[in-house]
Amino acid sequence: SAPWKSWHCIPEWMRCSMVVISTGPGGSGVAFHKHSSAWLVLQEGQKRWWLYPPSGPKKAYDAVALCQAWKLSGEIAQLRPEDRPIELVQHPGEGVFVPALWWHATCDEGPTLGIGSQYNMADLDIHACHEAFPDSAFVLYHVACELHKTDEARAVVLFEEAIKREPLNFYFCTNQLLFHLNMVLHPRHTLSIIERLMGRVRRCLDRRRQMIVQR
C-alpha cells in the first residue's frame, strides 16, 4: 500500500497520464530507451541511473545501444570520460525527473520499489521538439510517423535519417518496413529495406532477440 499512499500525496499537476510502479530484484533494470517526461520516487532499495541528452550517446552508441542493463556499468567504465552518460544513484525518498526525449537506463542494486508517472508522447508537440532537437533520431522517427499520411515523400526521408542515426534500433527499422508495406511503395525499395533489416538482425542480435524482431 505504500506506493499508493505516496501517489495520493502527490499534487494533481504531477500525476501524468500513465502511472508507473517500478519494482525488481537486484541486477534487474531497463536498457537505454526514451519517451516523454517522467519521474520516479524510490520507496525501497537503490537504483542506478544513466542519462544522455536527446542527441544520444553518439560515439558510445555501438557500445550501449543494445547493452543489457546489468552489463551497463562495465561497458560504461570502458568508455572515454567524454563519452560517458550522466550517472547517479537514487536512494529511498529521492525522486528522479527525466525530461522528455532523454536517453536513460536503470539498474536495481538490490530489490527496489518505486512509484512514478509518465506523460504520453501524444502530449508533446513533436514538430516543436524537432526544431529544438533536430539531431534526435527519436524525434525524427515520430515526425515521420505523424507525416506519413500527408507527406509520404518527407516521411520516407525522415525514416531513413532516423535509422541512419540509430541503425541498431530495430523498432524503427520494423516500423519503417510496415510503413512501406502499408503505403504500397515500389517493391524494389521495400525489398532493399527487408534485406538491410534481416542482415542487421543476423549480425547484431543473439538468437532470442532475432526471434523477437522476426515475429
Side-chain angles (χ1 to χ4, degrees), residues 41 46-47 86 88 161 170 190 195 210:
V41 175
Q46 186 168 289
K47 186 184 291 285
I86 298 168
L88 60 94
E161 186 61 29
F170 291 93
T190 304
E195 290 171 353
Q210 287 179 12

Side-chain angles (χ1 to χ4, degrees), residues 23-70:
T23 185
S28 63
V30 183
F32 273 107
H33 63 292
K34 49 272 187 202
H35 45 63
S36 192
S37 302
W39 56 266
L40 183 78
V41 175
L42 203 61
Q43 305 288 320
E44 299 177 13
Q46 186 168 289
K47 186 184 291 285
R48 187 171 297 272
W49 291 75
W50 298 275
L51 303 100
Y52 283 108
S55 56
K58 296 185 177 179
K59 293 182 179 179
Y61 178 80
D62 289 344
V64 304
L66 294 178
C67 186
Q68 298 175 56
W70 63 275

Side-chain angles (χ1 to χ4, degrees), residues 46-121:
Q46 186 168 289
K47 186 184 291 285
R48 187 171 297 272
W49 291 75
W50 298 275
L51 303 100
Y52 283 108
S55 56
K58 296 185 177 179
K59 293 182 179 179
Y61 178 80
D62 289 344
V64 304
L66 294 178
C67 186
Q68 298 175 56
W70 63 275
K71 294 181 178 179
L72 274 170
S73 285
E75 289 292 336
I76 289 169
Q78 298 180 52
L79 297 175
R80 299 183 305 171
E82 60 267 31
D83 296 329
R84 294 173 187 168
I86 298 168
E87 184 170 346
L88 60 94
V89 177
Q90 184 183 19
H91 300 94
E94 296 178 342
V96 172
F97 173 76
V98 180
L101 314 177
W102 276 59
W103 289 60
H104 56 289
T106 63
C107 188
D108 297 326
E109 300 184 342
T112 61
L113 174 65
I115 184 170
S117 197
Q118 178 182 318
Y119 282 106
N120 194 291
M121 283 298 295

Side-chain angles (χ1 to χ4, degrees), residues 68 198 200-215:
Q68 298 175 56
M198 298 313 296
R200 285 178 180 164
V201 165
R202 288 192 296 269
R203 289 193 305 273
C204 303
L205 300 180
D206 57 37
R207 295 191 67 178
R208 183 180 66 85
R209 288 178 171 181
Q210 287 179 12
M211 183 64 70
I212 292 171
V213 173
Q214 288 169 2
R215 284 182 177 175

Side-chain angles (χ1 to χ4, degrees), residues 6-7 17 45 72-73 77 103 107 163 169 178 185 197 210 212:
S6 298
W7 179 257
S17 51
L72 274 170
S73 285
W103 289 60
C107 188
I163 292 168
N169 191 316
L178 290 174
L185 298 179
L197 171 59
Q210 287 179 12
I212 292 171

